[in-house]
């Protein structure tokens, strides 16, 4: 089909990529003299007429969904045309770059800060779509395009658009199995939190080199997503807690877009590069012919000396960590209640207890939890504050946990004790 003129205007020049139901061509808009990408719908002959209409409607939906969005992180749709055989085509901007999937395949796992940079731009694109009432429903590395420092989200073919009649049969599951959220796997309605789960799976794949869930077949992948926790992201470093929070099976426990953006913005910063050590004098050459007994004795002496030195250093560094934890505690702004106690729970980690309310029956527990989260978010160095899984648990003796991404705060727990509502903040020495 090379050099084919489509709609008397778009001349196809080369094939850019092909999928199960379509292909993307490099083309030239001869009317405006510009390069474009043209998406072709290719359907197998065995499909029924109803199935053909459904797939054509999905391509139309992609054009409408993307055309409603004006954002630098979302591919721009220029036109929707019909070919000579009646099939729809979409004319889009041409993104000069490769997909995130291609990059990982070519270079292997990416550095965490680079993955955070990519995730931040994809998140901004998703939030723009969500504000416009559009859920993407197919966020994955293959749909993330990289053009120099620009990151572009593409392929809104199965997007859910508010106000549009759904094209999906009740209970049907559509998407890419390894990157589908648990609710999509169960055939439930997908929403913004579903896109954030898929973003988490995309970031996991980028930093680990593989998706968070795998299996011998699609059914096995679905079962794993619906029932299991993903393996820890061992290469993710500081990005790991954010990825794992996004991959929560319970959509209500995932961070919001606003919370996620604060964390990714911090993690996307370039890591400091340590200066190369200065070149020193060449080590002295060993004298040969020394007796083995002497060499062994020297080695034992050195080992004992090293052990003593390490022990002394450990004691000194433990004391330094304890002091650093207390310094971090003193750096907290005025807490939301009077301090009751400060206990050392581990070397370099303190648990500070505050009283939020003298009696839980007269206390607005939800209000105190909200105020506590706001207070935690205002502390120096705090990147993200994750709300408790169940707000109702905060007024019980078991309590609820508020997670924090911070170099000096590991989290906070709100519990009921002796009819009082207490806040325990866990402070550690900054790394």
């Amino acid at each position: 089909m090379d050099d084919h003129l489509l709609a008397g205007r778009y001349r196809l020049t080369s094939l850019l990529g092909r999928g199960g139901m379509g292909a993307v061509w490099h083309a030239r808009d001869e009317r405006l003299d510009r390069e474009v990408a043209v998406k072709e719908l290719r359907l197998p002959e065995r499909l029924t007429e109803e199935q053909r209409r459904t797939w054509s409607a999905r391509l139309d939906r992609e054009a409408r969904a993307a055309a409603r969005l004006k954002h630098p992180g979302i591919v721009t749709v220029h036109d929707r045309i019909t070919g000579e055989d009646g099939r729809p085509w979409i004319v889009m901007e041409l993104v000069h770059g490769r997909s995130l999937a291609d990059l990982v395949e070519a270079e292997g796992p990416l550095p965490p800060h680079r993955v955070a940079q990519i995730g931040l731009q994809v998140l901004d694109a998703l939030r723009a779509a969500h504000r416009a009432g559009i859920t993407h429903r197919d966020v994955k590395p293959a749909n993330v395009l990289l053009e120099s420092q620009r990151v572009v989200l593409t392929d809104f073919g199965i997007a859910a658009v508010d106000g549009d009649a759904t094209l999906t049969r009740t209970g049907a599951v559509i998407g890419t199995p390894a990157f589908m959220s648990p609710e999509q796997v169960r055939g439930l309605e997908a929403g913004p939190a579903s896109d954030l789960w898929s973003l988490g799976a995309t970031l996991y794949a980028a930093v680990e080199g593989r998706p968070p869930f795998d299996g011998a077949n699609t059914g096995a992948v679905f079962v794993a997503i619906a029932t299991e926790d993903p393996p820890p992201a061992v290469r993710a470093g500081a990005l790991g807690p954010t990825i794992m929070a996004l991959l929560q099976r319970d959509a209500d426990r995932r961070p919001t877009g606003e919370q996620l953006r604060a964390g990714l913005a911090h993690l996307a910063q370039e890591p400091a590069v340590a200066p190369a050590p200065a070149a020193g004098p060449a080590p002295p050459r060993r004298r040969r012919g020394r007796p083995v007994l002497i060499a062994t004795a020297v080695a034992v002496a050195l080992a004992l000396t090293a052990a003593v030195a390490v022990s002394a250093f450990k004691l000194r560094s433990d004391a330094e960590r304890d002091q650093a934890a207390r310094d971090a505690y003193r750096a907290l702004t005025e807490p939301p209640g009077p301090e009751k106690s400060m206990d050392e729970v581990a070397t370099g980690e303190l648990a500070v207890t505050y009283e939020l309310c003298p009696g839980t029956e007269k206390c607005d527990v939800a209000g105190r939890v909200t105020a506590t989260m706001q207070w935690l978010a205002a502390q120096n160095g705090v990147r993200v504050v994750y709300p408790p899984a169940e707000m109702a648990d905060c007024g019980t003796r078991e309590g609820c946990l508020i997670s924090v991404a911070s170099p000096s705060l590991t989290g906070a727990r709100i519990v009921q004790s002796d009819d009082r509502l207490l806040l325990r903040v866990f402070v550690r020495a900054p790394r």
Side-chain angles (χ1 to χ4, degrees):
M1 192 178 289
D2 291 5
D3 204 38
H4 176 76
L5 189 63
L6 189 65
R9 175 175 179 177
Y10 304 104
R11 188 170 299 279
L12 308 185
T13 58
S14 61
L15 183 66
L16 294 175
R18 189 192 307 273
M21 290 292 181
V24 179
W25 293 84
H26 180 284
R28 174 163 291 279
D29 181 349
E30 296 192 340
R31 185 175 301 172
L32 296 179
D33 190 27
R34 65 178 176 184
E35 292 180 299
V36 294
V38 181
K39 186 171 185 177
E40 169 194 12
L41 181 63
R42 289 187 171 185
L43 300 177
E45 293 297 328
R46 66 179 181 275
L47 294 183
T48 65
E49 188 60 33
E50 180 183 356
Q51 289 172 325
R52 289 176 178 274
R53 285 196 298 269
T54 297
W55 279 102
S56 295
R58 282 183 179 163
L59 197 71
D60 283 342
R61 167 177 285 190
E62 177 176 1
R64 290 197 308 272
R68 284 174 57 171
L69 303 172
K70 301 297 181 184
H71 189 275
I74 297 175
V75 68
T76 301
V77 170
H78 298 312
D79 201 357
R80 186 276 192 200
I81 58 177
T82 302
E84 297 174 357
D85 57 0
R87 287 182 301 154
W89 298 64
I90 298 179
V91 182
M92 306 173 290
E93 68 167 312
L94 180 64
V95 178
H96 294 278
R98 53 184 170 176
S99 72
L100 178 59
D102 291 337
L103 178 62
V104 173
E105 183 178 359
E107 300 184 7
L110 305 180
H113 78 277
R114 174 61 176 141
V115 175
Q117 291 169 352
I118 294 171
L120 185 61
Q121 294 192 54
V122 175
L123 174 64
D124 285 345
L126 284 174
R127 294 182 71 191
H130 296 162
R131 286 193 295 268
I134 297 173
T135 303
H136 189 282
R137 299 201 298 180
D138 197 21
V139 179
K140 59 183 179 181
N143 286 339
V144 176
L145 305 181
L146 310 175
E147 184 181 51
S148 185
Q149 297 302 309
R150 182 189 177 206
V151 179
V152 184
L153 182 62
T154 187
D155 201 348
F156 283 77
I158 62 172
V161 182
D162 286 355
D164 273 8
T166 180
L167 298 174
T168 308
R169 300 186 314 275
T170 301
V173 177
I174 56 175
T176 304
F179 297 94
M180 291 172 61
S181 68
E183 52 270 27
Q184 288 176 279
V185 165
R186 297 187 180 99
L188 303 176
E189 183 178 355
S194 307
D195 280 347
L196 295 187
W197 190 98
S198 298
L199 174 59
T202 297
L203 301 184
Y204 186 109
V207 79
E208 297 295 315
R210 58 179 176 81
F213 295 96
D214 201 358
N217 51 51
T218 298
V221 174
F222 283 172
V223 170
I225 291 174
T227 63
E228 299 176 8
D229 293 327
V234 297
R235 300 175 182 268
L239 183 59
T242 297
I243 291 177
M244 303 309 284
L246 287 171
L247 295 178
Q248 294 274 355
R249 288 196 299 275
D250 184 350
D252 292 336
R253 299 184 64 179
R254 297 169 204 157
T256 65
E258 184 176 357
Q259 291 171 334
L260 180 59
R261 197 186 192 289
L264 288 177
H266 179 86
L267 296 168
Q269 298 176 11
E270 293 282 347
V273 179
R285 298 182 61 182
R286 293 181 179 269
R287 295 180 61 184
R288 298 187 180 183
R290 293 283 185 181
V292 175
L293 181 60
I294 296 178
T296 303
V298 171
V300 171
L302 288 175
L304 290 173
T305 302
V308 173
V310 169
S311 177
F313 177 78
K314 183 178 186 301
L315 291 175
R316 186 167 61 250
S317 57
D318 283 352
E320 289 173 351
R321 283 197 297 270
D322 291 341
Q323 185 59 47
R326 285 173 169 76
D327 292 342
Y329 159 64
R330 283 193 288 270
L332 297 178
T333 61
E334 183 175 349
E339 179 186 335
K340 288 297 181 182
S341 65
M342 182 173 66
D343 308 308
E344 185 173 345
V345 293
T347 300
E349 185 172 10
L350 307 174
V352 187
T353 302
Y354 303 103
E355 183 180 288
L356 297 179
C357 290
T360 54
E361 292 184 359
K362 300 178 181 179
C363 179
D364 177 9
V365 176
R368 300 309 298 167
V369 173
T370 300
T372 297
M373 291 178 59
Q374 294 173 345
W375 175 72
L376 288 168
Q379 303 309 310
N380 185 38
V382 171
R383 300 188 295 271
V384 187
V385 177
Y386 300 114
E390 295 292 342
M391 187 74 75
D393 292 341
C394 298
T396 67
R397 294 190 181 278
E398 293 295 327
C400 64
L401 180 67
I402 301 175
S403 301
V404 181
S406 164
S408 58
L409 299 181
T410 60
R413 181 173 290 277
I414 296 179
V415 298
Q416 179 190 4
S417 178
D418 297 329
D419 200 35
R420 296 177 302 167
L421 193 67
L422 302 179
L423 166 66
R424 283 174 62 82
V425 181
F426 300 95
V427 185
R428 68 182 173 196
R431 294 176 181 176

